[in-house]
Amino acid sequence: MTEQDLAGRTALVTGSTSGIGEATAKQLAKHGAHVIVVGRRQELGDGVVAAIRAADGKADYVRAELSDAASARELAKRALETSGGQIDILINNAGTAVFGPTAETLEENWEMMFNTNLKGHFFLVAELAPKMAARGKGVIVNTSTMVGQFAVPGMAVYGATKAALNLLTKSWAAEFGPAGVRVNAVSPGTTSTRKVVDAMGDGLDELGKQAPLGYVADASEIADAIVYLTTDKSSYITGTILNVDGGRTAI
Ligand SMILES: NC(=O)c1ccc[n+]([C@@H]2O[C@H](COP(=O)([O-])OP(=O)(O)OC[C@H]3O[C@@H](n4cnc5c(N)ncnc54)[C@H](OP(=O)(O)O)[C@@H]3O)[C@@H](O)[C@H]2O)c1
């Protein structure tokens, strides 16, 4: 039985219809949080909520496209209505990536990556962090990536969005820390989520071998780190980019 150390808290997890976000939503619920599951794919969102409820957890689904200030404000409004007026934990996890050479990068893909990975989350924080600050307590965790810290040809734009997210993490930690709000990021290595498995095929294991631990992470291993950063066990940690990459950025 997991410790109910998040009982009474509400957690909004963007991009929790699948992958790392889904695993995080399920674990937060096991820790006792009321989880707001978010994403565009309603059927998957409903499925995550049903699984959490079947395990005696508390969850609701809010369908949302996250791409700009207006969509972030709308999501914040609906999440606050659903939660009863308070979000204690915000996980900025929704993300998208289109890889390819710089010269072949379409402007629409540049915008999609910057809007989803960065702009939507920026304005979601703008809506929710001041409310946390007014209460003197709150936690934000951003899902970054190891390729926000080193160069991989073909991943320039995706990496740039996450490098910017890393700096936003530190900036928000500095801005909201004095009011009791902690802001951190996890920086995953290659993780076995459906999209990555489909895209990489047999190449996935090879990518896993590039890390000292030598394997591809399960989404639950990333979720473990995210949940840790939401609990009071990490009470003195803020402004940190926590590498959860099997040691890939150590070499
Ligand atoms: N898997 C990896 O190897 C890896 C490594 C490092 C970092 N990451 C990061 O981890 C996070 C989760 O990725 P994942 O691997 O778990 O992939 P995933 O299963 O594809 O999850 C992405 C999530 O983001 C949501 N999303 C995407 N675009 C959206 C939009 N415009 N509006 C609202 N929601 C949107 C998706 O929901 P809907 O499609 O339902 O909208 C989905 O729930 C991402 O930020 C990714 O960059 C992944």
Side-chain angles (χ1 to χ4, degrees):
M1 173 88 180
T2 309
E3 199 181 336
Q4 293 285 293
D5 47 2
L6 297 177
R9 296 186 207 178
T10 303
L12 171 58
V13 186
T14 71
S16 45
T17 48
S18 63
I20 292 169
E22 174 182 357
T24 302
K26 288 176 174 170
Q27 289 195 25
L28 287 168
K30 277 192 186 146
H31 282 255
H34 173 195
V35 181
I36 313 288
V37 174
V38 182
R40 295 162 298 179
R41 292 168 294 173
Q42 171 124 26
E43 206 174 311
L44 293 184
D46 287 342
V48 176
V49 167
I52 289 173
R53 290 183 182 166
D56 293 329
K58 213 171 161 199
D60 287 287
Y61 171 64
V62 172
R63 188 183 181 285
E65 160 95 38
L66 189 58
S67 57
D68 56 11
S71 61
R73 286 189 196 115
E74 178 64 18
L75 171 57
K77 182 170 155 280
R78 289 174 56 215
L80 286 166
E81 283 164 8
T82 305
S83 71
Q86 187 166 315
I87 301 293
D88 304 288
I89 297 165
L90 170 61
I91 313 294
N92 289 316
N93 171 77
T96 192
V98 181
F99 301 138
T102 294
E104 291 169 23
T105 297
L106 301 177
E107 187 176 3
E108 66 198 59
N109 288 336
W110 162 283
E111 282 175 354
M112 183 179 71
M113 283 185 268
F114 269 90
N115 289 348
T116 305
N117 301 357
L118 211 54
K119 191 174 180 183
H121 289 129
F122 181 90
F123 286 101
L124 198 52
V125 168
E127 286 297 303
L128 296 176
K131 293 180 172 53
M132 294 175 179
R135 291 195 302 277
K137 200 170 166 59
V139 178
I140 298 170
V141 183
N142 302 317
T143 308
S144 184
T145 173
M146 65 180 180
V147 300
Q149 297 180 55
F150 59 86
V152 179
M155 297 191 185
V157 180
Y158 175 65
T161 65
K162 298 293 192 168
L165 187 62
N166 289 348
L167 190 66
L168 284 182
T169 302
K170 295 179 187 187
S171 301
W172 287 329
E175 183 175 348
F176 297 110
V181 179
R182 296 189 298 111
V183 187
N184 292 291
V186 294
S187 183
T190 311
T191 307
S192 176
T193 57
R194 173 58 45 210
K195 203 187 266 181
V196 173
V197 172
D198 289 349
M200 296 306 301
D202 292 341
L204 191 61
D205 282 346
E206 285 310 309
L207 267 185
K209 284 182 190 144
Q210 290 177 3
L213 289 184
Y215 69 93
V216 173
D218 187 79
S220 66
E221 295 179 277
I222 312 302
D224 280 335
I226 295 174
V227 171
Y228 164 67
L229 290 170
T230 69
T231 70
D232 294 344
K233 292 207 167 95
S234 60
S235 54
Y236 202 54
I237 301 178
T238 197
T240 291
I241 316 300
L242 177 58
N243 294 322
V244 192
D245 60 6
R248 180 64 184 81
T249 45
I251 55 175

